[in-house]
Amino acid sequence: MARPGFDLSVYLVTDPLLNGGRPVEDVVDQAVRGGVTMVQLRDPHSPTRELVAIARRLVAALRPHAIPFIVNDRIDVAMICGADGVHIGQNDMDARDARAMMGEDCIIGLSVANEAELKASRDALGAVDYLGVGPVYSTSTKADAGGAIGLEGIAWMRAATDMPLVAIGGIDAARTGDIVRAGAAGVAVVTAIMNAAEPKDAAAEIARAVEAAKQE
Amino acid sequence: MARPGFDLSVYLVTDPLLNGGRPVEDVVDQAVRGGVTMVQLRDPHSPTRELVAIARRLVAALRPHAIPFIVNDRIDVAMICGADGVHIGQNDMDARDARAMMGEDCIIGLSVANEAELKASRDALGAVDYLGVGPVYSTSTKADAGGAIGLEGIAWMRAATDMPLVAIGGIDAARTGDIVRAGAAGVAVVTAIMNAAEPKDAAAEIARAVEAAKQE
């Protein structure tokens, strides 16, 4: 397997509505310069043609930085733009089907909120590289997210599986330390970076918080 | 190239909301027994996991009949379920990208409403096997469909291109003859079959109308 290494520390999830009118690839480029280690395109509403166009712009923006680029749900978009992987939710394609399509060289993440979802995903976990766990806190950026699982939810998942965990949901720099101490390898953030006046500074602050917590 | 032959005569487009509560694969099976020659899964709202499940049920239902199965927009769903092709709209993936992903053995259809869209699609037409033209009449089943193009729109497109045309939009058996006489190789129908009390009879009536018009 030649699956690329990846670092979940500061995982930026894009949102087309939260970049303050700035081109999403510009915000992402700034954020990467601040310390973002991984980027996911999540945009469940745009037409496919627009998704492909955005994905290609993000691939071009991220290639110089060698930062993994992940597409949410849409394996067709991921494949045609040359993404490094896909992130799938419980209502998206089965991770084994995603692996069959994308091949062994890609990164596959799966959202798992709780014990019930972890059980339901058991047979698919062999096809998965990391778990997205949340929402840790309640969030306005994902209408179909379930109830907040809190730090206890992260700690439970840390005990229940050996897989790398990235936490998501209402996370900002101030909350990052506790989340990493609870067992997450990193934090996935949307608003705290996409909507920041200075995405680079926002990313750097979160990166410092992750690093500090890991060194404790 | 081993692209399969296909017959646009009676092209059934599914709609998850219009099958009167019956399993979509049952309606499709009945319709195929009545004379449907091609089936498209169009369902822009269901989550990917459900789309894949429906697509696999339709593949299983259609395989014994050797009827081509086409998936609208979602190339990932088409690939994982083993569909015979995809149908793409002006806001979906570029047909050349679709061809690159699906390979030479698949059928690719493209929706083209008018001269402007035909011009905009010019560079992609080499990757396309047939054109979907419409809406011929105004329709309630597709919120983003443009204004009705009428029989004149079909005739214009027939004169403008050599590609096989399937007409769509508000078509029933009574309107089928005129549409085929205007130059369409067949008619794509949603409501007239999916919502019929007897999908088999509804399909047979349309099949007879297509055949009669072609023999004039």
Side-chain angles (χ1 to χ4, degrees):
Chain A
M1 267 197 284
R3 203 164 309 167
F6 58 93
D7 176 355
L8 296 168
S9 296
V10 188
Y11 190 144
L12 175 60
V13 178
T14 66
D15 188 306
L17 304 177
L18 284 177
N19 46 11
R22 303 169 289 195
V24 65
E25 64 271 24
D26 290 356
V27 178
V28 167
D29 182 76
Q30 288 302 308
V32 166
R33 292 171 196 277
V36 159
T37 58
M38 210 152 164
V39 174
Q40 178 187 136
L41 170 62
R42 187 176 73 193
D43 181 350
H45 300 300
S46 291
T48 303
R49 183 156 303 203
E50 195 174 324
L51 277 183
V52 171
I54 296 171
R56 285 182 164 144
R57 292 203 302 273
L58 288 173
V59 165
L62 291 170
R63 189 155 289 156
H65 303 289
I67 297 289
F69 174 60
I70 309 293
V71 175
N72 189 289
D73 178 24
R74 293 294 299 259
I75 290 160
D76 45 1
V77 174
M79 289 175 76
I80 202 65
C81 76
D84 301 293
V86 291
H87 186 92
I88 52 193
Q90 294 288 318
N91 288 324
D92 296 337
M93 198 174 285
D94 189 288
R96 289 162 290 185
D97 288 336
R99 177 65 70 197
M101 295 182 73
M102 299 274 301
E104 294 298 329
D105 296 350
C106 92
I107 301 164
I108 296 184
L110 175 66
S111 292
V112 177
N114 49 41
E115 186 173 5
E117 290 188 3
L118 185 64
K119 272 192 181 168
S121 307
R122 197 169 35 199
D123 295 340
L125 289 183
V128 172
D129 296 301
Y130 73 87
L131 299 180
V133 184
V136 185
Y137 302 102
S138 64
T139 171
S140 60
T141 57
K142 196 162 186 293
D144 63 343
I149 63 169
L151 294 170
E152 311 75 45
I154 300 290
W156 183 89
M157 196 67 72
R158 180 66 293 150
T161 171
D162 290 334
M163 300 198 69
L165 307 180
V166 62
I168 191 165
I171 300 175
D172 58 18
R175 286 167 157 173
T176 291
D178 284 345
I179 289 167
V180 171
R181 281 185 288 269
V187 291
V189 294
V190 188
T191 315
I193 291 178
M194 291 306 292
N195 208 22
E198 299 292 344
K200 182 180 172 185
D201 297 345
E205 194 183 353
I206 294 169
R208 282 193 299 271
V210 171
E211 201 169 337
K214 284 186 177 174
Q215 286 178 345
E216 281 171 16
Chain B
M1 270 196 283
R3 203 164 308 164
F6 59 92
D7 177 354
L8 295 167
S9 296
V10 187
Y11 189 144
L12 175 60
V13 178
T14 66
D15 188 306
L17 304 177
L18 284 178
N19 47 10
R22 303 168 290 195
V24 66
E25 63 271 25
D26 291 356
V27 178
V28 167
D29 181 76
Q30 288 301 309
V32 166
R33 292 171 196 277
V36 158
T37 58
M38 210 153 165
V39 174
Q40 178 187 135
L41 169 62
R42 187 176 73 194
D43 181 350
H45 301 300
S46 291
T48 303
R49 184 155 303 202
E50 194 174 324
L51 276 184
V52 171
I54 296 170
R56 284 181 165 145
R57 292 203 302 274
L58 287 173
V59 165
L62 291 170
R63 190 156 289 156
H65 303 290
I67 297 290
F69 175 60
I70 309 293
V71 174
N72 189 288
D73 179 22
R74 294 294 299 259
I75 290 160
D76 45 2
V77 174
M79 289 176 77
I80 202 65
C81 77
D84 301 293
V86 291
H87 186 92
I88 52 193
Q90 294 288 318
N91 288 325
D92 297 337
M93 199 174 283
D94 189 288
R96 289 162 290 184
D97 288 336
R99 177 65 69 197
M101 295 183 74
M102 299 274 300
E104 293 297 329
D105 295 351
C106 91
I107 301 164
I108 296 184
L110 176 66
S111 292
V112 177
N114 49 41
E115 185 173 4
E117 290 188 3
L118 185 64
K119 271 192 181 169
S121 307
R122 197 170 34 199
D123 294 341
L125 290 183
V128 172
D129 296 301
Y130 73 86
L131 299 180
V133 184
V136 185
Y137 302 102
S138 63
T139 171
S140 60
T141 57
K142 195 159 186 295
D144 63 343
I149 63 169
L151 295 171
E152 311 74 45
I154 300 291
W156 183 88
M157 197 68 74
R158 179 66 292 153
T161 171
D162 290 335
M163 300 198 68
L165 307 180
V166 63
I168 191 165
I171 300 174
D172 58 18
R175 287 167 157 173
T176 291
D178 284 344
I179 289 167
V180 172
R181 281 185 288 268
V187 292
V189 293
V190 188
T191 316
I193 291 178
M194 290 307 293
N195 208 23
E198 299 292 346
K200 182 179 172 186
D201 297 345
E205 192 183 353
I206 294 168
R208 281 193 300 270
V210 171
E211 201 169 335
K214 284 186 179 176
Q215 286 178 346
E216 281 171 15

